[in-house]
Amino acid sequence: MCWRKTLTQRYLSVGGSLIGLMVAFRLFNRVYEGGILTLNAANWDAPFGIVFVADLLSVTLVLLTSIACFAVSIFSSVGLSRQRMLYGYFPIFHFLIMGLHGAFLTGDIFNLYVYFEVIIISSFVLMTLGGRKAQLEGAVKYMAMNILASMFFLTGIGILYGITGSLNMADLSIRIQEVQNKALIGITSCFFIIGFGIKSAVFPLYYWLPSSYHTPPSAVAATFGGLLTKVGIYAMLRVFSLIFIPDDFTRILLMVIAVLTILTGAFGALIKTNIRRLFSYLIVCHIGFMIGGIAMFSKVALMGAVFYLIHDIMVKTNMFLIAGLIRQLRGTMDMNKLGGLYSEYPKISLIVAIVLFSLVGIPPLSGFWPKVFLFQEAFSQHQYFYIAALIIGSFVTLYVIAKMWSEVFWKNPPASEGMENLFAPMPPYKKILMVLPIGLMALATLYIGLNAEAIVKVTDIISTQLMDPSAYIDAVLGNKTD
């Protein structure tokens, strides 16, 4: 209705995101205090109809998505050109958020695939908005790999339906135990590992991410970097706790993938001078941390993986918003051409420092606590390769972030470079709207780190539900007589 009215679209987007955030808070509190909620679409009873399930893992991710969506909406209102808005940026952005919410809340595995497709379609449009050559090139790689992932995922669903006769995840959890051919179940689980692995950008299927995430506008890259790869992690947590309980082979396979993902992401980040490419490789590196937690598959390991997931969504979204702000301040993201931001903008630099310290995992900030759980469980399970990879990944993150800080904020800018400051001529309200979402996300990150006890309580309940999904199954299938 407001296709040509970009100002109205901005108000609608920010207002809608705020309402969505309030609803997400309400839903989170309801589930945290009252237990799992279910909704049967069109009143068809499970397992025959599509069911939506709000357990604590789902609503936590819905809440984090809503926080990130609100921040990105505010940033988009001033950080994007009107031309891009006229291409339909805001409707497509909210279509993407709908896909994310749907993927987190669905209790039907085919419906999960449908929401994956909604995410892919909208993210492909967002990636190509503006139609620059680099964008189209990145989008082709992104689309090709995600279609491949969808093909593996759909094939796995087809085999699963063939051997169990059901698509409801709670029902599958019961029926899969009755299947005699365990080898076939193992092969089917590999389809899901490949499908979710491509979407999560794990080794050796990660290369599409650094090739594409640096091309779209920063508001789009923030949504992608913070949320899209995490859908794959969520799907792994859900499917491998409900349907395919990891056997020794699966755990070893996931652990090998985790170690190699951490190392390739870390070493890729070492040689990057473009800020967004650097952050893209750090996404890959830190995905490996979470895969390792899933591979160990114990209560403590899953607490570490889920806590890291919560931390990573907040920090990575904010990192790409920061990259967009740096571009506005200096007209480039090449670290060799940057410098002097601390002396010119000390307050903004301090907000950025909080986010960078959180990413590295300086105690007591948010990146530190999940590693405690991951190290603890890795030592108890004698996963020494994973421990070594965690240490290397953490130190490389520290090194590249320290290098970025010194290059971008501390050193004097190169005299030869003519800086293009797009931020200074902005009216004051636009400056506030550009820095405000970064500040809000930094506050959320600080809350996660400094109030870690509350987050640990949430992750403790989530990991208990993942290790023993009986409450989830009862909520979906046990209410037929009500």
Side-chain angles (χ1 to χ4, degrees):
M1 287 169 65
C2 307
W3 193 252
R4 307 295 301 174
K5 298 173 184 172
T6 55
L7 187 64
T8 312
Q9 285 191 33
R10 290 176 222 186
Y11 283 122
L12 283 172
S13 176
V14 176
S17 299
L18 182 60
I19 293 166
L21 179 57
M22 291 190 288
V23 172
F25 265 116
R26 174 94 176 84
L27 183 63
F28 178 85
N29 285 329
R30 180 87 183 273
V31 172
Y32 186 66
E33 290 165 9
I36 298 169
L37 297 172
T38 61
L39 170 77
N40 292 324
N43 280 339
W44 284 89
D45 282 346
F48 305 107
I50 291 170
V51 66
F52 291 90
V53 189
D55 69 341
L56 198 55
L57 174 61
S58 296
V59 293
T60 301
L61 288 167
V62 166
L63 178 57
L64 293 168
T65 303
S66 300
I67 295 168
C69 170
F70 180 55
V72 173
S73 281
I74 297 170
F75 189 90
S76 301
S77 65
V78 290
L80 273 178
S81 65
R82 185 171 184 272
Q83 201 59 41
R84 278 205 166 95
M85 292 177 192
L86 287 171
Y87 281 123
Y89 167 78
F90 285 113
I92 299 294
F93 169 69
H94 286 279
F95 199 66
L96 173 67
I97 300 301
M98 182 199 74
L100 289 163
H101 286 328
F104 294 141
L105 290 168
T106 186
D108 181 283
I109 198 156
F110 185 77
N111 209 33
L112 178 64
Y113 165 79
V114 171
Y115 278 115
F116 269 44
E117 293 306 294
V118 170
I119 292 166
I120 288 173
I121 291 163
S122 42
S123 57
F124 184 64
V125 176
L126 286 174
M127 191 170 271
T128 53
L129 272 187
R132 289 183 299 111
K133 187 185 174 191
Q135 277 181 279
L136 294 172
E137 193 179 315
V140 168
K141 294 171 189 170
Y142 174 84
M143 198 65 180
M145 289 306 290
N146 274 279
I147 287 173
L148 187 65
S150 296
M151 194 172 71
F152 277 105
F153 185 18
L154 194 58
T155 305
I157 291 171
I159 300 169
L160 199 57
Y161 183 67
I163 58 179
T164 60
S166 181
L167 292 169
N168 180 286
M169 288 196 270
D171 193 38
L172 281 168
S173 184
I174 297 165
R175 293 199 184 198
I176 201 90
Q177 295 168 22
E178 299 163 3
V179 177
Q180 300 299 315
N181 192 340
K182 300 301 177 193
L184 184 58
I185 293 172
I187 292 165
T188 310
S189 73
C190 288
F191 279 96
F192 286 91
I193 290 173
I194 295 167
F196 298 150
I198 294 172
K199 290 183 186 294
S200 306
V202 302
F203 180 90
L205 310 163
Y206 68 91
Y207 56 85
W208 60 268
L209 191 150
S211 302
S212 56
Y213 274 24
H214 70 286
T215 57
S218 293
V220 176
T223 315
F224 287 11
L227 296 166
L228 292 202
T229 48
K230 312 310 178 296
V231 182
I233 296 293
Y234 163 78
M236 274 197 191
L237 282 166
R238 181 66 75 209
V239 167
F240 285 94
S241 64
L242 263 179
I243 303 168
F244 305 106
I245 308 304
D247 55 13
D248 289 342
F249 170 75
T250 307
R251 290 167 72 162
I252 291 166
L253 177 63
L254 286 173
M255 186 53 78
V256 170
I257 289 169
V259 170
L260 292 172
T261 303
I262 293 169
L263 295 177
T264 48
F267 294 142
L270 272 174
I271 56 169
K272 291 290 169 274
T273 56
N274 180 290
I275 294 172
R276 281 220 305 228
R277 276 183 179 268
L278 170 69
F279 292 164
S280 297
Y281 273 100
L282 287 180
I283 290 172
V284 175
C285 175
H286 300 151
I287 286 290
F289 289 16
M290 293 173 260
I291 299 287
I294 298 169
M296 291 187 284
F297 203 75
S298 68
K299 189 172 185 301
V300 175
L302 289 177
M303 279 177 75
V306 172
F307 199 144
Y308 207 94
L309 183 61
I310 293 167
H311 145 81
D312 208 58
I313 288 173
M314 292 289 97
V315 170
K316 290 297 194 313
T317 305
N318 211 0
M319 296 298 284
F320 281 92
L321 293 180
I322 288 164
L325 180 60
I326 291 169
R327 175 151 194 158
Q328 290 289 326
L329 292 168
R330 289 287 185 263
T332 182
M333 289 191 218
D334 187 343
M335 289 195 283
N336 296 327
K337 298 175 183 176
L338 289 164
L341 280 181
Y342 184 80
S343 59
E344 210 172 324
Y345 299 98
K347 290 174 186 171
I348 292 174
S349 301
L350 288 173
I351 295 171
V352 173
I354 291 167
V355 183
L356 295 177
F357 284 153
S358 299
L359 176 68
V360 172
I362 306 293
L365 296 173
S366 60
F368 170 72
W369 303 109
K371 289 180 193 171
V372 173
F373 294 110
L374 293 173
F375 273 113
Q376 180 186 337
E377 192 56 29
F379 273 111
S380 69
Q381 291 194 19
H382 310 292
Q383 298 284 1
Y384 298 119
F385 284 110
Y386 179 59
I387 292 166
L390 271 178
I391 293 168
I392 292 167
S394 300
F395 273 109
V396 169
T397 303
L398 174 61
Y399 169 76
V400 296
I401 293 300
K403 180 182 163 192
M404 178 200 150
W405 177 262
S406 67
E407 291 277 319
V408 177
F409 292 89
W410 269 349
K411 79 168 190 195
N412 293 322
S416 60
E417 295 299 332
M419 294 296 177
E420 184 191 6
N421 192 335
L422 304 172
F423 187 75
M426 280 184 176
Y429 81 93
K430 282 196 171 183
K431 291 181 180 177
I432 291 166
L433 287 176
M434 189 158 264
V435 178
L436 179 66
I438 294 170
L440 289 174
M441 295 289 281
L443 278 176
T445 305
L446 267 181
Y447 175 83
I448 292 167
L450 301 180
N451 195 25
E453 189 179 0
I455 310 298
V456 168
K457 279 183 187 172
V458 172
T459 55
D460 183 52
I461 297 167
I462 290 171
S463 59
T464 303
Q465 288 177 352
L466 288 172
M467 292 300 293
D468 178 18
S470 55
Y472 183 98
I473 296 164
D474 289 345
V476 177
L477 302 175
N479 298 336
K480 291 180 185 177
T481 55
D482 290 358

